[in-house]
Amino acid sequence: MRSKDLPERVLYFEPMPLLRVAPIWDTCRAMGMEVIMVDRSKVGETLGYLAGYEGFAPRTEERKTTPPGERVLIFCGVVGDRLDQVMKALREAGAPPSLQAVLTKVNANWPMDRLVEELPKERRAIARRLLLQKGQS
């Protein structure tokens, strides 16, 4: 699964189901990306399945899932400079804060709720590294 060969898509989970935040929706669509709204009942599905990629089937086993309490954007097939352009456009459009991630070969088999659990841990680890680097300079 090479990102540059995949169609550009955004998995968008909105914790307030009746709300579709226009700056996110409009910006991503204007940039030619397909926006896939992820329903609360689907957060236990794998990211690859949610993104509609070949080789990923719906989960068959029952497992308890907890929908995220925050807005989530997962960029699929959006890499490098293009990802930077999208992030800049979202900021300029006034998009509200969200947890953000990129679909990778590693996390494509993860359920969405697992990825969302990992994001705050990753954010803290990055902040610690930055503090350590700043203290060493």
PDB file of all heavy atoms in Angstrom, residues 2-23:
ATOM      1  N   ARG A   2       1.076   1.841  -1.142  1.00  0.00           N
ATOM      2  CA  ARG A   2       1.874   3.061  -1.233  1.00  0.00           C
ATOM      3  C   ARG A   2       0.938   4.247  -1.293  1.00  0.00           C
ATOM      4  O   ARG A   2       0.057   4.324  -2.146  1.00  0.00           O
ATOM      5  CB  ARG A   2       2.753   3.002  -2.478  1.00  0.00           C
ATOM      6  CG  ARG A   2       3.862   1.992  -2.334  1.00  0.00           C
ATOM      7  CD  ARG A   2       4.728   1.876  -3.538  1.00  0.00           C
ATOM      8  NE  ARG A   2       4.830   3.117  -4.265  1.00  0.00           N
ATOM      9  CZ  ARG A   2       5.171   3.173  -5.545  1.00  0.00           C
ATOM     10  NH1 ARG A   2       5.451   2.083  -6.194  1.00  0.00           N
ATOM     11  NH2 ARG A   2       5.259   4.334  -6.159  1.00  0.00           N
ATOM     12  N   SER A   3       1.138   5.220  -0.406  1.00  0.00           N
ATOM     13  CA  SER A   3       0.223   6.357  -0.269  1.00  0.00           C
ATOM     14  C   SER A   3       0.039   7.122  -1.562  1.00  0.00           C
ATOM     15  O   SER A   3      -1.050   7.573  -1.874  1.00  0.00           O
ATOM     16  CB  SER A   3       0.714   7.301   0.824  1.00  0.00           C
ATOM     17  OG  SER A   3       0.661   6.662   2.061  1.00  0.00           O
ATOM     18  N   LYS A   4       1.130   7.282  -2.342  1.00  0.00           N
ATOM     19  CA  LYS A   4       0.989   8.095  -3.543  1.00  0.00           C
ATOM     20  C   LYS A   4       0.093   7.447  -4.595  1.00  0.00           C
ATOM     21  O   LYS A   4      -0.350   8.108  -5.512  1.00  0.00           O
ATOM     22  CB  LYS A   4       2.363   8.435  -4.124  1.00  0.00           C
ATOM     23  CG  LYS A   4       3.110   7.263  -4.698  1.00  0.00           C
ATOM     24  CD  LYS A   4       4.431   7.720  -5.248  1.00  0.00           C
ATOM     25  CE  LYS A   4       5.152   6.564  -5.924  1.00  0.00           C
ATOM     26  NZ  LYS A   4       6.394   6.971  -6.492  1.00  0.00           N
ATOM     27  N   ASP A   5      -0.176   6.129  -4.443  1.00  0.00           N
ATOM     28  CA  ASP A   5      -1.035   5.433  -5.388  1.00  0.00           C
ATOM     29  C   ASP A   5      -2.495   5.390  -4.942  1.00  0.00           C
ATOM     30  O   ASP A   5      -3.331   4.870  -5.662  1.00  0.00           O
ATOM     31  CB  ASP A   5      -0.534   3.993  -5.579  1.00  0.00           C
ATOM     32  CG  ASP A   5       0.869   3.946  -6.162  1.00  0.00           C
ATOM     33  OD1 ASP A   5       1.242   4.877  -6.897  1.00  0.00           O
ATOM     34  OD2 ASP A   5       1.581   2.981  -5.860  1.00  0.00           O
ATOM     35  N   LEU A   6      -2.776   5.888  -3.769  1.00  0.00           N
ATOM     36  CA  LEU A   6      -4.124   5.818  -3.218  1.00  0.00           C
ATOM     37  C   LEU A   6      -4.886   7.110  -3.484  1.00  0.00           C
ATOM     38  O   LEU A   6      -4.301   8.185  -3.482  1.00  0.00           O
ATOM     39  CB  LEU A   6      -4.052   5.577  -1.710  1.00  0.00           C
ATOM     40  CG  LEU A   6      -3.360   4.281  -1.271  1.00  0.00           C
ATOM     41  CD1 LEU A   6      -3.243   4.243   0.243  1.00  0.00           C
ATOM     42  CD2 LEU A   6      -4.105   3.076  -1.776  1.00  0.00           C
ATOM     43  N   PRO A   7      -6.204   6.995  -3.662  1.00  0.00           N
ATOM     44  CA  PRO A   7      -6.989   8.218  -3.803  1.00  0.00           C
ATOM     45  C   PRO A   7      -6.952   9.017  -2.509  1.00  0.00           C
ATOM     46  O   PRO A   7      -6.860   8.437  -1.418  1.00  0.00           O
ATOM     47  CB  PRO A   7      -8.400   7.718  -4.109  1.00  0.00           C
ATOM     48  CG  PRO A   7      -8.419   6.292  -3.687  1.00  0.00           C
ATOM     49  CD  PRO A   7      -7.012   5.786  -3.721  1.00  0.00           C
ATOM     50  N   GLU A   8      -7.011  10.325  -2.618  1.00  0.00           N
ATOM     51  CA  GLU A   8      -6.997  11.180  -1.426  1.00  0.00           C
ATOM     52  C   GLU A   8      -8.378  11.193  -0.784  1.00  0.00           C
ATOM     53  O   GLU A   8      -9.364  11.577  -1.418  1.00  0.00           O
ATOM     54  CB  GLU A   8      -6.572  12.600  -1.790  1.00  0.00           C
ATOM     55  CG  GLU A   8      -5.137  12.689  -2.218  1.00  0.00           C
ATOM     56  CD  GLU A   8      -4.684  14.103  -2.489  1.00  0.00           C
ATOM     57  OE1 GLU A   8      -5.527  14.960  -2.838  1.00  0.00           O
ATOM     58  OE2 GLU A   8      -3.482  14.359  -2.342  1.00  0.00           O
ATOM     59  N   ARG A   9      -8.395  10.771   0.453  1.00  0.00           N
ATOM     60  CA  ARG A   9      -9.638  10.703   1.215  1.00  0.00           C
ATOM     61  C   ARG A   9      -9.378  11.191   2.627  1.00  0.00           C
ATOM     62  O   ARG A   9      -8.264  11.106   3.126  1.00  0.00           O
ATOM     63  CB  ARG A   9     -10.155   9.268   1.280  1.00  0.00           C
ATOM     64  CG  ARG A   9     -10.528   8.718  -0.067  1.00  0.00           C
ATOM     65  CD  ARG A   9     -10.996   7.298   0.007  1.00  0.00           C
ATOM     66  NE  ARG A   9     -11.420   6.893  -1.326  1.00  0.00           N
ATOM     67  CZ  ARG A   9     -11.380   5.663  -1.762  1.00  0.00           C
ATOM     68  NH1 ARG A   9     -10.960   4.683  -0.988  1.00  0.00           N
ATOM     69  NH2 ARG A   9     -11.776   5.383  -2.983  1.00  0.00           N
ATOM     70  N   VAL A  10     -10.439  11.645   3.271  1.00  0.00           N
ATOM     71  CA  VAL A  10     -10.367  12.038   4.677  1.00  0.00           C
ATOM     72  C   VAL A  10     -11.475  11.302   5.417  1.00  0.00           C
ATOM     73  O   VAL A  10     -12.645  11.413   5.055  1.00  0.00           O
ATOM     74  CB  VAL A  10     -10.552  13.565   4.852  1.00  0.00           C
ATOM     75  CG1 VAL A  10     -10.501  13.931   6.324  1.00  0.00           C
ATOM     76  CG2 VAL A  10      -9.521  14.328   4.069  1.00  0.00           C
ATOM     77  N   LEU A  11     -11.084  10.540   6.431  1.00  0.00           N
ATOM     78  CA  LEU A  11     -12.067   9.952   7.326  1.00  0.00           C
ATOM     79  C   LEU A  11     -12.370  11.024   8.369  1.00  0.00           C
ATOM     80  O   LEU A  11     -11.462  11.539   9.019  1.00  0.00           O
ATOM     81  CB  LEU A  11     -11.508   8.697   8.006  1.00  0.00           C
ATOM     82  CG  LEU A  11     -11.096   7.556   7.086  1.00  0.00           C
ATOM     83  CD1 LEU A  11     -10.508   6.413   7.905  1.00  0.00           C
ATOM     84  CD2 LEU A  11     -12.261   7.078   6.247  1.00  0.00           C
ATOM     85  N   TYR A  12     -13.624  11.357   8.503  1.00  0.00           N
ATOM     86  CA  TYR A  12     -14.032  12.466   9.372  1.00  0.00           C
ATOM     87  C   TYR A  12     -15.029  11.939  10.388  1.00  0.00           C
ATOM     88  O   TYR A  12     -16.120  11.517  10.036  1.00  0.00           O
ATOM     89  CB  TYR A  12     -14.625  13.563   8.504  1.00  0.00           C
ATOM     90  CG  TYR A  12     -15.199  14.784   9.201  1.00  0.00           C
ATOM     91  CD1 TYR A  12     -15.042  15.015  10.553  1.00  0.00           C
ATOM     92  CD2 TYR A  12     -15.914  15.725   8.469  1.00  0.00           C
ATOM     93  CE1 TYR A  12     -15.572  16.138  11.164  1.00  0.00           C
ATOM     94  CE2 TYR A  12     -16.443  16.853   9.062  1.00  0.00           C
ATOM     95  CZ  TYR A  12     -16.280  17.043  10.416  1.00  0.00           C
ATOM     96  OH  TYR A  12     -16.819  18.158  11.010  1.00  0.00           O
ATOM     97  N   PHE A  13     -14.632  11.937  11.657  1.00  0.00           N
ATOM     98  CA  PHE A  13     -15.544  11.599  12.743  1.00  0.00           C
ATOM     99  C   PHE A  13     -15.911  12.873  13.466  1.00  0.00           C
ATOM    100  O   PHE A  13     -15.039  13.624  13.907  1.00  0.00           O
ATOM    101  CB  PHE A  13     -14.908  10.611  13.736  1.00  0.00           C
ATOM    102  CG  PHE A  13     -15.809  10.352  14.912  1.00  0.00           C
ATOM    103  CD1 PHE A  13     -16.854   9.456  14.809  1.00  0.00           C
ATOM    104  CD2 PHE A  13     -15.647  11.049  16.096  1.00  0.00           C
ATOM    105  CE1 PHE A  13     -17.721   9.247  15.883  1.00  0.00           C
ATOM    106  CE2 PHE A  13     -16.499  10.848  17.168  1.00  0.00           C
ATOM    107  CZ  PHE A  13     -17.538   9.951  17.060  1.00  0.00           C
ATOM    108  N   GLU A  14     -17.201  13.101  13.584  1.00  0.00           N
ATOM    109  CA  GLU A  14     -17.713  14.280  14.277  1.00  0.00           C
ATOM    110  C   GLU A  14     -18.458  13.806  15.521  1.00  0.00           C
ATOM    111  O   GLU A  14     -19.435  13.074  15.408  1.00  0.00           O
ATOM    112  CB  GLU A  14     -18.653  15.066  13.358  1.00  0.00           C
ATOM    113  CG  GLU A  14     -19.289  16.273  13.989  1.00  0.00           C
ATOM    114  CD  GLU A  14     -18.266  17.255  14.533  1.00  0.00           C
ATOM    115  OE1 GLU A  14     -17.391  17.715  13.792  1.00  0.00           O
ATOM    116  OE2 GLU A  14     -18.360  17.563  15.738  1.00  0.00           O
ATOM    117  N   PRO A  15     -17.987  14.193  16.742  1.00  0.00           N
ATOM    118  CA  PRO A  15     -18.634  13.706  17.963  1.00  0.00           C
ATOM    119  C   PRO A  15     -20.056  14.232  18.166  1.00  0.00           C
ATOM    120  O   PRO A  15     -20.832  13.629  18.893  1.00  0.00           O
ATOM    121  CB  PRO A  15     -17.715  14.190  19.082  1.00  0.00           C
ATOM    122  CG  PRO A  15     -16.978  15.342  18.508  1.00  0.00           C
ATOM    123  CD  PRO A  15     -16.863  15.075  17.039  1.00  0.00           C
ATOM    124  N   MET A  16     -20.374  15.322  17.519  1.00  0.00           N
ATOM    125  CA  MET A  16     -21.739  15.851  17.599  1.00  0.00           C
ATOM    126  C   MET A  16     -22.408  15.493  16.267  1.00  0.00           C
ATOM    127  O   MET A  16     -22.245  16.210  15.277  1.00  0.00           O
ATOM    128  CB  MET A  16     -21.721  17.356  17.839  1.00  0.00           C
ATOM    129  CG  MET A  16     -21.036  17.707  19.157  1.00  0.00           C
ATOM    130  SD  MET A  16     -20.936  19.475  19.452  1.00  0.00           S
ATOM    131  CE  MET A  16     -22.653  19.883  19.641  1.00  0.00           C
ATOM    132  N   PRO A  17     -23.131  14.371  16.217  1.00  0.00           N
ATOM    133  CA  PRO A  17     -23.597  13.790  14.958  1.00  0.00           C
ATOM    134  C   PRO A  17     -24.357  14.716  14.008  1.00  0.00           C
ATOM    135  O   PRO A  17     -24.289  14.530  12.811  1.00  0.00           O
ATOM    136  CB  PRO A  17     -24.501  12.645  15.404  1.00  0.00           C
ATOM    137  CG  PRO A  17     -24.084  12.331  16.793  1.00  0.00           C
ATOM    138  CD  PRO A  17     -23.562  13.604  17.369  1.00  0.00           C
ATOM    139  N   LEU A  18     -25.039  15.697  14.519  1.00  0.00           N
ATOM    140  CA  LEU A  18     -25.803  16.576  13.637  1.00  0.00           C
ATOM    141  C   LEU A  18     -24.967  17.729  13.094  1.00  0.00           C
ATOM    142  O   LEU A  18     -25.445  18.528  12.301  1.00  0.00           O
ATOM    143  CB  LEU A  18     -27.043  17.111  14.347  1.00  0.00           C
ATOM    144  CG  LEU A  18     -28.027  16.034  14.799  1.00  0.00           C
ATOM    145  CD1 LEU A  18     -29.198  16.672  15.542  1.00  0.00           C
ATOM    146  CD2 LEU A  18     -28.510  15.214  13.629  1.00  0.00           C
ATOM    147  N   LEU A  19     -23.725  17.798  13.527  1.00  0.00           N
ATOM    148  CA  LEU A  19     -22.853  18.893  13.121  1.00  0.00           C
ATOM    149  C   LEU A  19     -21.890  18.410  12.047  1.00  0.00           C
ATOM    150  O   LEU A  19     -21.253  17.389  12.190  1.00  0.00           O
ATOM    151  CB  LEU A  19     -22.067  19.386  14.342  1.00  0.00           C
ATOM    152  CG  LEU A  19     -21.142  20.572  14.145  1.00  0.00           C
ATOM    153  CD1 LEU A  19     -21.939  21.815  13.800  1.00  0.00           C
ATOM    154  CD2 LEU A  19     -20.367  20.817  15.431  1.00  0.00           C
ATOM    155  N   ARG A  20     -21.846  19.126  10.957  1.00  0.00           N
ATOM    156  CA  ARG A  20     -20.827  18.880   9.946  1.00  0.00           C
ATOM    157  C   ARG A  20     -20.121  20.217   9.807  1.00  0.00           C
ATOM    158  O   ARG A  20     -20.706  21.179   9.338  1.00  0.00           O
ATOM    159  CB  ARG A  20     -21.451  18.452   8.615  1.00  0.00           C
ATOM    160  CG  ARG A  20     -20.412  18.198   7.560  1.00  0.00           C
ATOM    161  CD  ARG A  20     -20.996  17.720   6.273  1.00  0.00           C
ATOM    162  NE  ARG A  20     -21.581  16.407   6.439  1.00  0.00           N
ATOM    163  CZ  ARG A  20     -22.551  15.935   5.690  1.00  0.00           C
ATOM    164  NH1 ARG A  20     -23.051  16.660   4.725  1.00  0.00           N
ATOM    165  NH2 ARG A  20     -23.020  14.741   5.891  1.00  0.00           N
ATOM    166  N   VAL A  21     -18.887  20.275  10.251  1.00  0.00           N
ATOM    167  CA  VAL A  21     -18.183  21.548  10.315  1.00  0.00           C
ATOM    168  C   VAL A  21     -17.775  21.986   8.906  1.00  0.00           C
ATOM    169  O   VAL A  21     -16.940  21.350   8.259  1.00  0.00           O
ATOM    170  CB  VAL A  21     -16.979  21.461  11.264  1.00  0.00           C
ATOM    171  CG1 VAL A  21     -16.240  22.771  11.316  1.00  0.00           C
ATOM    172  CG2 VAL A  21     -17.458  21.061  12.662  1.00  0.00           C
ATOM    173  N   ALA A  22     -18.382  23.069   8.448  1.00  0.00           N
ATOM    174  CA  ALA A  22     -18.200  23.542   7.079  1.00  0.00           C
ATOM    175  C   ALA A  22     -16.742  23.792   6.690  1.00  0.00           C
ATOM    176  O   ALA A  22     -16.346  23.392   5.597  1.00  0.00           O
ATOM    177  CB  ALA A  22     -19.052  24.787   6.837  1.00  0.00           C
ATOM    178  N   PRO A  23     -15.918  24.448   7.520  1.00  0.00           N
ATOM    179  CA  PRO A  23     -14.540  24.678   7.079  1.00  0.00           C
ATOM    180  C   PRO A  23     -13.782  23.388   6.762  1.00  0.00           C
ATOM    181  O   PRO A  23     -12.991  23.346   5.832  1.00  0.00           O
ATOM    182  CB  PRO A  23     -13.893  25.418   8.245  1.00  0.00           C
ATOM    183  CG  PRO A  23     -15.018  26.083   8.953  1.00  0.00           C
ATOM    184  CD  PRO A  23     -16.182  25.128   8.803  1.00  0.00           C
TER     185      PRO A  23
END
